[in-house]
Structures are given as structure tokens and as C-alpha cells.
Amino acid sequence: MNIQAIRQDFPILNRQINGKPLIYFDNAATSQKPYSVIDAITNYYQYHNGNIHRAIHTLSSEATELFEKSREKISKFINAKSPNEIIFTRGTTEAINLVAYSLGCDTLGSDDEVLISLMEHHSNIVPWEIIAKCRGFTVKYGHVNKDGTLDYQDFMSKITKKTKICCLSHVSNVTGVINDVKCIAKVAHDNGALMLIDGAQSVPHMKVDVQDLNVDFLAFSGHKMLGPTGVGVLYGKKEALQKMTPFQGGGEMIKDVSFSADHCVVSWNELPWKFEAGTPDIAGVIGLGAAIDYLVALGMDNVFNHEKDLTQYATECLKKCRDITLYGPTDLSQKCGILPFCLRGFSSHETAALFNEYGIALRSGYHCAQPLHQILNLPSSARASFYIYNTKAEIDRFIEIIEELNS
Ligand code: PLP
């Protein structure tokens, strides 16, 4: 990939922060946006704005066509069998809530179990805990090793005939650990359970093929993969989605609402619209389609290899620095471009504030993954995370500052 050419596509990278060129290392939180995405959104509002699916006038037809084209692009991008398996949501959080509410309220009861790992983002823990309180099912947790990798033996041993769904992040947003979700999905299916993966940190950074992984659900967010905020995706296998009751009711998700005698009879729309109540973020979905075009043109293997190269380089440099502790596995073949660390003498927020003085954007805190921080025995951590426009020169500058602080 020609990184210098890529950088020209991102207007925000020309910004100065505190008088220094911006170095953006907070990509796991949200990515920056190229002109093509910004232009797709502007173009929609300037020339095609109309509500989708509901009118026969030209603007509505154009908007519908652009919207549904994005669904097709996303379907191809993750190798779904059909665009009907792609449901637009507000993001990963809403996608997981959709499954938790639809599946949980419909089919899970006091004899059932949901299995999650302790490395999850809160958005893959809290919805399950909320529904478990209403429905009386048990939420079980698979352990995580001290280096942040999944304890596979423990996780597999907790999959039983009572398990109705296993929920696991594909890539941890704290350590960058890549989980072998394909292998877990096989064991889940052998026991009659469904498999949901949180792809918030995998889909933007690597090739994800839902048919190859054979997962039942995949959730991800547009804003972490060059797209706008407010739009995300739930992929669901047709067979699983067909059995589920809609999470939200309203316009667009019904086929028919009629009154017979004294009661209302409602029938659901076809997939995927059955799960898309109300007017969606039309511009956001079109922007996400442009983001997919950008990533496809780069090639997801190139994206992955570039980030892997940066992670390897940064890890080797940081290992030589005094007063810095790196977390996560030492085997880099198991991880993506996310580096959690602590700087001796500074809290994570102090570390991020200090780097901000130098124009470097880092994340600090527990990154919505408190259980994992408990396991790592950390109140919080600082986190650098890379994407397609980051360079080794930026990492050199980052290291230079750490060395200045150490001297
Ligand atoms: N899951 C993981 C692994 C994440 O990293 C994040 C966001 O950082 C989420 C879920 C939630 O994503 P969103 O806030 O876009 O819904």
C-alpha cells in the first residue's frame, strides 16, 4: 500500500494539535474518514435526499437504490450468502442488543445458558445480563489467561447442551488478541448452540468471511472502518433471523397491521427489513458503502499486513524503552494492531494527556472492558491502535517522546 497516497485522502491528517502534526493512534475507538466517504454523504444530501422504500418519486427511488447498494457491498465484503442477511443498526452495540433482546425474550428460559468470555467489551456483556434478569437464564463466563488470551479449555468445557448461544469478540479491543472463533463455533454447533461474534475490531482490519467462520451472528460498527458514526451491521444467518421476533416495532418492519374484531393483527416484513423499524441513517449507510469501496480497493490482506508490520515494529521499539510495561500476548501472530501499555509514574489518563500535548491521540481508561482489566490486574491502561494511514515515522516520534519522558 502507498501510505503517503492514502494519507492524502484523509483531510483531518493535515491538522495540527497543540501546534504539532496530528498523530492519530486512537483507531480502535473510531477511525478517520477519507474524502470519498465524506463526499458520498454530502452528495446524498445535495442530490438524492428522500426517505427510502416508501415513495415512488425519483428522489426516494434514488435514495433506496443507493441504500440497498450499500447492503449488497457489505454482504459481499463479509461473504454473506445474501444481502437479506445484512441488517443495519446504529453500531455493534445495537446489533448485539438486537440479538440479546430478540433471542433472549423469545426463546431463552430458566434452564438455558449464555456463554460469554471475560475479555468482552461491555456491549457484549451488559445486554445479556439485562435480559437474563427478565428471563431467568444463566450467563456463564469463560476465563482469560494472564496474557489476555482466551482460556480455550475453560471456554470449551463450559459449552454444554444447556448453552443456547456463545458470544465472543473476534478481536479484543484492549489487547488486540485474535480469537479462534471458527473453532469455538464448531464446538458451539456440535452442542446445538448458536455463535455470535463481536467483529467491531476485526471487520475493519482483516478479511472476515462469515461462511468460512460459520458463525450465526456477526456485529460491527461503520465508524471504526472509515465510515460515519451512527451506522453498524448485524449479519445473521437467514435460518436464525427467520426464527427471531423483531427487537423494535414501527414503520417498515411490518407486512400488515390490521384490526379484526377488537384486536390488532400484525405480520412481519421479509428479511432484512423485519429488523429495521423506522427511518434508518440513510446517509450513514451510503457513507459506509463508500468506506467498503475504499477498503476493497486497498485489499483487506494488505490492510492486515500493514498493521501487523506497524505492531511488530512498535512492540520491538517499546520493549527497549525503560519504565514502560506492555500488556497482551508476546506471540504477535495472535494479535492485531492494538497496544495496551502503562508508563511508570503516570496514570493512563495522565499518559494520554501528556501525549496530547505532543499532538498524539491515545486512549486511556479501561476501554469499556473492566472485567479484562481486573484479570490483567490494572485499574486502567493507555492504548495505541493503528490503521491504514499510520506510519513507522509516527511510531518513531511516539518512542522519542517516551524516551524524553524517561530521561
Ligand atoms: N465491541 C468492541 C470489541 C469494541 O471495541 C467496541 C467499541 O469500541 C464495541 C463493541 C462497541 O461499538 P459501538 O460503540 O460502535 O457500538
Side-chain angles (χ1 to χ4, degrees):
M1 294 197 306
N2 181 345
I3 308 303
Q4 288 315 321
I6 288 173
R7 289 179 67 82
Q8 299 304 313
D9 293 335
F10 290 80
I12 209 167
L13 298 179
N14 295 320
R15 266 207 67 174
Q16 302 260 313
I17 303 286
N18 293 318
K20 316 274 184 337
L22 166 67
I23 296 181
Y24 188 75
F25 282 171
D26 193 18
N27 293 288
T30 198
S31 71
Q32 297 303 344
K33 324 299 173 199
Y35 281 115
S36 61
V37 169
I38 300 167
D39 291 347
I41 295 167
T42 309
N43 185 58
Y44 162 70
Y45 280 125
Q46 278 185 339
Y47 302 111
H48 308 290
N49 182 43
N51 208 335
I52 54 169
H53 299 142
R54 295 186 198 154
I56 54 160
H57 62 77
T58 301
L59 291 182
S60 173
S61 308
E62 288 174 1
T64 303
E65 198 181 321
L66 289 167
F67 184 88
E68 292 300 334
K69 206 168 256 168
S70 282
R71 199 190 304 273
E72 283 168 26
K73 287 177 190 175
I74 291 160
S75 171
K76 265 200 199 128
F77 188 65
I78 59 168
N79 195 28
K81 273 191 186 152
S82 151
N84 295 347
E85 296 181 315
I86 305 298
I87 295 159
F88 288 115
T89 65
R90 284 192 300 122
T92 307
T93 304
E94 192 177 69
I96 297 172
N97 271 274
L98 190 163
V99 180
Y101 276 81
S102 286
L103 200 75
C105 292
D106 246 10
T107 55
L108 302 186
S110 54
D111 288 338
D112 299 325
E113 292 176 1
V114 169
L115 179 60
I116 303 175
S117 90
L118 282 168
M119 77 168 72
E120 299 311 300
H121 187 281
H122 296 160
S123 60
N124 203 14
I125 297 176
V126 183
W128 297 107
E129 289 289 348
I130 293 173
I131 312 296
K133 285 219 165 56
C134 306
R135 298 285 300 178
F137 60 83
T138 306
V139 183
K140 287 200 159 176
Y141 289 90
H143 291 306
V144 171
N145 300 313
K146 289 281 172 221
D147 66 354
T149 53
L150 184 72
D151 181 339
Y152 283 88
Q153 208 174 358
D154 180 68
F155 198 92
M156 306 274 205
S157 73
K158 287 176 176 156
I159 305 176
T160 69
K161 298 290 176 205
K162 285 186 165 192
T163 314
K164 292 294 172 287
I165 184 164
C166 297
C167 307
L168 185 63
S169 43
H170 195 181
V171 170
S172 159
N173 67 313
V174 177
T175 58
V177 161
I178 305 170
N179 287 318
D180 187 348
V181 290
K182 185 172 176 174
C183 146
I184 302 272
K186 164 115 188 36
V187 180
H189 291 151
D190 288 348
N191 283 275
L194 295 166
M195 179 84 201
L196 175 146
I197 59 171
D198 172 348
Q201 301 295 344
S202 61
V203 176
H205 304 283
M206 59 171 75
K207 202 175 239 167
V208 174
D209 178 331
V210 287
Q211 291 193 62
D212 175 54
L213 296 177
N214 196 17
V215 293
D216 301 282
F217 302 104
L218 164 73
F220 56 99
S221 300
H223 69 95
K224 294 180 195 288
M225 51 191 294
L226 312 180
T229 51
V231 63
V233 171
L234 174 70
Y235 155 82
K237 269 189 197 162
K238 187 171 147 202
E239 310 84 78
L241 292 173
Q242 271 173 337
K243 286 188 201 141
M244 286 158 49
T245 303
F247 161 50
Q248 291 174 330
E252 190 57 34
M253 47 73 69
I254 45 87
K255 186 175 278 168
D256 206 46
V257 183
S258 56
F259 249 83
S260 144
D262 240 3
H263 63 278
C264 185
V265 182
V266 180
S267 58
W268 314 135
N269 201 343
E270 304 294 326
L271 286 175
W273 305 289
K274 165 179 153 184
F275 290 103
E276 292 179 355
T279 302
D281 183 349
I282 303 167
V285 166
I286 293 166
L288 178 55
I292 301 274
D293 289 341
Y294 194 96
L295 289 170
V296 168
L298 291 180
M300 289 311 288
D301 286 339
N302 294 330
V303 169
F304 183 73
N305 289 334
H306 172 65
E307 289 174 33
K308 209 167 183 55
D309 193 29
L310 291 180
T311 311
Q312 192 130 19
Y313 182 70
T315 306
E316 273 156 23
C317 296
L318 285 167
K319 273 190 194 156
K320 292 181 201 142
C321 295
R322 279 187 294 124
D323 296 333
I324 189 162
T325 312
L326 291 175
Y327 296 91
T330 42
D331 177 3
L332 297 184
S333 68
Q334 287 183 62
K335 65 174 278 168
C336 269
I338 297 178
L339 286 178
F341 67 95
C342 286
L343 211 52
R344 186 132 67 103
F346 298 95
S347 73
S348 68
H349 289 324
E350 284 167 345
T351 305
L354 240 161
F355 277 92
N356 189 51
E357 292 296 307
Y358 293 90
I360 300 184
L362 293 178
R363 196 65 160 188
S364 56
Y366 46 72
H367 323 303
C368 298
Q370 251 180 313
L372 181 57
H373 277 81
Q374 259 170 290
I375 291 164
L376 298 175
N377 207 14
L378 285 171
S380 66
S381 58
R383 181 184 74 184
S385 52
F386 308 126
Y387 210 13
I388 50 175
Y389 34 69
N390 291 125
T391 64
K392 286 187 180 165
E394 289 180 321
I395 292 171
D396 289 341
R397 179 69 192 126
F398 174 59
I399 303 290
E400 237 173 62
I401 296 164
I402 293 179
E403 280 168 352
E404 266 174 51
L405 292 172
N406 278 341
S407 62

